[in-house]
Amino acid sequence: MAKGRRRLRISLIGAGSVGTALAVALHRKGHSSGSVVSGRLSSARRCARLVKCRNFSARLSALPSHQDLILIATPEDAVKTTVQELWRLNIPFDRTYVAHTSGVFSDIILRPLKTRGARIFSLHPIQTFPRNLPVEHHVRSLRGISYGFVGERSSLSLAQSLVSDLGGNILRVPKEAKILYHLACVFASNYSVALLGAVEELISTFSGPPGLNKFKRLIYSSIENTLLVGSMKALTGPIARGSAETARLHLLELQKKHKNLIPLYRTLGLQALRLATKQHRLSSKRIRQIKKALKAR
Ligand SMILES: NC(=O)c1ccc[n+]([C@@H]2O[C@H](COP(=O)([O-])OP(=O)(O)OC[C@H]3O[C@@H](n4cnc5c(N)ncnc54)[C@H](OP(=O)(O)O)[C@@H]3O)[C@@H](O)[C@H]2O)c1
């Protein structure tokens, strides 16, 4: 923790991948834990042990009356009921910040607690935390990331100091753009993984399990180049070169053994064509030919 900064007493609700990683990282920066509450007592206990907290429970009523921050890291569908239950508790909210880590909700979902005096915000780590990876992996993965913040000015400085303790930085997201922001996260992470799943599927038909590793440099370079010069300039391949014939051959091959991948191939082909068109790389005739090949049944 930076010199002169206040140590916070933080209570966590939802001791899953995200909640545990944040609680552990903040504990290591000198913040203390007021309580850990989770769906199952075993998850609460496991996280509490890591943050040296004696107060853990499967019930929200176990929250102490005084804490500086209540961090809600439950799945999305439990946030609303958690807020309703919190609202009924005898907590001096006028001295408490309440935040959640959901990517899709803004701070609006926490508004009932604002009526009790709480300062509210949403703070979403722009990172992925698969369940089956160890806590240490998740804690390390927090280094240097950005956090999508939605909230009022009165919460911003607290969020900024937490994020700076976590070694990250804040991305301020306008309330009304929160769902678009989350769409960007889903495309960047979940759908990229889904796309790599398609790559795995294709490789598995001609190579053994470590096959995807042979494509590692190709995958990394594509991402690095895109981050370096943007998607339009980073695009290579048959669509960027205007080869309708290659697209036709690809679709014929998919028709034989991987029919499930045809809609994905067509959709991504059209997206690639949009990028190539914006770059003015292709003649109108070539664009028409590729569109025709991609849409052919
Ligand atoms: N996973 C990611 O990559 C990621 C990235 C950024 C943000 N987020 C956001 O972070 C939040 C948590 O995600 P996660 O991946 O950490 O989920 P997760 O691993 O499923 O953890 C959620 C935790 O919440 C607990 N829980 C469920 N209902 C509860 C309730 N009513 N009261 C108290 N605890 C409850 C669960 O309890 P038990 O296990 O104890 O039963 C679980 O430990 C979500 O809003 C998600 O959108 C996730």
Side-chain angles (χ1 to χ4, degrees):
M1 192 179 338
K3 230 178 167 184
R5 241 187 226 155
R6 191 156 74 102
R7 277 168 195 267
L8 299 177
R9 192 170 194 227
I10 302 172
S11 287
L12 172 70
I13 304 174
S17 312
V18 172
T20 303
L22 291 174
V24 169
L26 290 167
H27 170 72
R28 287 182 187 165
K29 285 292 171 184
H31 298 290
S32 69
S33 183
S35 179
V36 179
V37 177
S38 204
R40 286 170 299 169
L41 188 64
S42 57
S43 323
R45 183 188 297 117
R46 189 183 63 116
C47 176
R49 241 183 235 145
L50 295 171
V51 297
K52 301 198 172 17
C53 177
R54 289 203 194 134
N55 180 3
F56 58 89
S57 179
R59 291 171 179 276
L60 276 182
S61 53
L63 283 180
S65 54
H66 292 281
Q67 56 251 297
D68 302 297
L69 170 67
I70 296 174
L71 185 63
I72 303 173
T74 63
E76 267 88 7
D77 52 10
V79 176
K80 199 172 170 189
T81 49
T82 301
V83 169
Q84 286 164 348
E85 282 183 50
L86 279 173
W87 192 86
R88 285 187 222 111
L89 295 180
N90 187 20
I91 288 177
F93 280 106
D94 53 336
R95 277 174 273 154
T96 314
Y97 289 85
V98 183
H100 72 71
T101 60
S102 155
V104 74
F105 296 140
S106 72
D107 59 340
I108 289 175
I109 196 157
L110 301 172
R111 224 176 236 171
L113 298 171
K114 194 177 169 188
T115 65
R116 296 269 323 264
R119 277 170 282 184
I120 55 172
F121 59 101
S122 70
L123 192 68
H124 173 252
I126 309 181
Q127 180 55 286
T128 176
F129 304 83
R131 259 194 206 170
N132 41 8
L133 290 177
V135 175
E136 269 316 312
H137 174 94
H138 293 325
V139 174
R140 271 198 308 276
S141 77
L142 292 173
R143 250 177 255 150
I145 68 166
S146 302
Y147 291 75
F149 168 91
V150 184
E152 283 156 16
R153 215 166 251 286
S154 58
S155 306
L156 182 61
S157 66
L158 183 104
Q160 261 163 343
S161 88
L162 283 175
V163 165
S164 134
D165 284 344
L166 292 166
N169 56 78
I170 291 250
L171 169 68
R172 288 186 75 176
V173 181
K175 260 186 230 309
E176 62 282 5
K178 188 71 197 282
I179 299 178
L180 276 178
Y181 155 88
H182 192 233
L183 273 166
C185 295
V186 166
F187 271 98
S189 175
N190 318 146
Y191 289 0
S192 299
V193 173
L195 192 57
L196 292 176
V199 180
E200 264 175 350
E201 186 182 326
L202 289 168
I203 297 172
S204 69
T205 55
F206 59 83
S207 173
L212 192 59
N213 265 315
K214 302 276 182 206
F215 285 62
K216 191 163 140 182
R217 281 311 322 160
L218 175 64
I219 295 164
Y220 284 176
S221 298
S222 305
I223 294 170
E224 280 161 11
N225 294 345
T226 306
L227 292 174
L228 199 65
V229 294
S231 57
M232 285 196 299
K233 289 183 183 155
L235 187 71
T236 60
I239 303 278
R241 289 191 293 271
S243 175
E245 180 56 11
T246 307
R248 203 182 59 80
L249 287 173
H250 284 167
L251 282 163
L252 281 175
E253 194 64 20
L254 288 175
Q255 191 69 38
K256 290 184 206 156
K257 283 190 202 130
H258 299 280
K259 277 197 182 132
N260 57 312
L261 295 180
I262 291 178
L264 186 61
Y265 183 89
R266 289 191 209 278
T267 304
L268 289 174
L270 289 171
Q271 173 67 5
L273 186 60
R274 229 168 273 139
L275 294 177
T277 308
K278 278 194 204 157
Q279 273 286 93
H280 306 293
R281 287 195 201 173
L282 305 174
S283 67
S284 339
K285 187 178 168 198
R286 289 253 185 219
I287 293 171
R288 270 199 311 278
Q289 286 169 338
I290 295 174
K291 268 192 191 154
K292 196 174 160 199
L294 287 172
K295 288 180 177 169
R297 299 278 151 188

